[in-house]
Amino acid sequence: DTEVTQTPKHLVMGMTNKKSLKCEQHMGHRAMYWYKQKAKKPPELMFVYSYEKLSINESVPSRFSPECPNSSLLNLHLHALQPEDSALYLCASSQDPRGGAGNEQFFGPGTRLTVL
Amino acid sequence: GNSVTQMEGPVTLSEEAFLTINCTYTATGYPSLFWYVQYPGEGLQLLLKATKADDKGSNKGFEATYRKETTSFHLEKGSVQVSDSAVYFCALTLYSGAGSYQLTFGKGTKLSVIP
């Protein structure tokens, strides 16, 4: 299984809602990532988990809250978002984080989020 | 810091034309280099990679060679198809110093292939 899955595929939420995005991989990868991608732009890194521990938080507002319950799952909890947070949210994973620069990241299909 | 510069698009080609998308990088170490492709409405897929100087990555008729002397990793394909229409991202990865390797992306080049 060389796939990263993400649910839901699409999400529409109001600014007062609480929702969660889910990401799953069964490749035994020990690094997992959340990216935000706006239209016609490259992905921007938000968070990195290495061995289920948060290792990088790229100054992301606290209305985004990541969680890594186990080595296969990564969640992104959303609360009190703003319309400018509307974007494609991509999850990725890669092998042992200590394994070297050659380890590619495998991306999921993304969740298209719209905040009204 | 690290950065990737790739040619601005959009690029429009006729089917069976030759494709080159230029990519150059600046890095504070010895990076690995990647090309990712994003088809409309989808996530990113790894197209090819190279981990050391003079390595050639290849996949689906696409090729790119890691040129350390010119800090470049240009993407080429001899004969493009309509199905190659997508956005192509050049990227590098280096150790972030925080237990992982971070990807640095170029801005992306949109390719449209017309029949």
Side-chain angles (χ1 to χ4, degrees):
Chain A
D1 186 357
T2 57
E3 196 179 19
V4 176
T5 58
Q6 290 187 244
T7 53
K9 194 170 173 61
H10 299 277
L11 179 62
V12 179
M13 60 187 289
M15 289 190 286
T16 58
N17 291 158
K18 282 185 182 182
K19 297 286 185 183
S20 296
L21 309 184
K22 180 178 172 182
C23 172
E24 195 164 2
Q25 57 88 13
H26 295 287
M27 295 179 278
H29 289 174
R30 303 309 298 273
M32 295 186 77
Y33 311 77
W34 279 116
Y35 289 86
K36 172 182 177 181
Q37 186 180 25
K38 301 285 271 185
K40 300 184 181 180
K41 298 287 186 184
E44 298 173 18
L45 183 65
M46 299 175 72
F47 303 103
V48 181
Y49 273 83
S50 178
Y51 293 94
E52 295 94 70
K53 286 186 169 52
L54 184 65
S55 62
I56 294 176
N57 175 342
E58 292 285 1
S59 304
V60 179
S62 60
R63 58 186 185 269
F64 295 91
S65 174
E67 178 197 18
C68 190
N70 60 56
S71 60
S72 300
L73 279 175
L74 186 66
N75 298 320
L76 186 62
H77 302 297
L78 314 172
H79 174 55
L81 295 193
Q82 305 295 311
E84 60 265 28
D85 296 322
S86 298
L88 181 68
Y89 287 84
L90 294 163
C91 174
S93 70
S94 64
Q95 282 184 338
D96 186 342
R98 302 162 303 182
N103 287 334
E104 62 261 35
Q105 292 184 23
F106 291 79
F107 284 81
T111 293
R112 178 76 59 189
L113 174 67
T114 303
V115 182
L116 301 175
Chain B
N2 304 320
S3 67
V4 175
T5 303
Q6 61 182 105
M7 60 189 288
E8 300 275 335
V11 173
T12 302
L13 294 173
S14 297
E15 208 165 20
E16 299 184 4
F18 185 85
L19 168 71
T20 299
I21 301 178
N22 290 337
C23 171
T24 57
Y25 68 89
T26 303
T28 54
Y30 201 141
S32 288
L33 302 174
F34 303 84
W35 276 101
Y36 281 87
V37 58
Q38 187 172 30
Y39 298 101
E42 298 185 11
L44 276 69
Q45 298 176 27
L46 178 69
L47 183 58
L48 51 85
K49 73 174 189 181
T51 57
K52 60 183 189 296
D54 300 324
D55 266 2
K56 179 188 278 188
S58 61
N59 186 24
K60 298 181 182 178
F62 291 89
E63 292 182 340
T65 300
Y66 191 144
R67 300 286 185 203
K68 198 165 187 289
E69 64 276 14
T70 54
T71 61
S72 65
F73 194 54
H74 304 320
L75 182 68
E76 295 183 337
K77 186 175 185 183
S79 176
V80 293
Q81 306 299 312
V82 172
S83 57
D84 294 326
S85 298
V87 179
Y88 292 81
F89 292 99
C90 185
L92 64 83
T93 187
L94 275 171
Y95 186 63
S96 69
S100 68
Y101 288 80
Q102 277 191 253
L103 271 172
T104 299
F105 288 97
K107 291 186 176 181
T109 302
K110 183 176 180 180
L111 171 67
S112 298
V113 180
I114 53 178

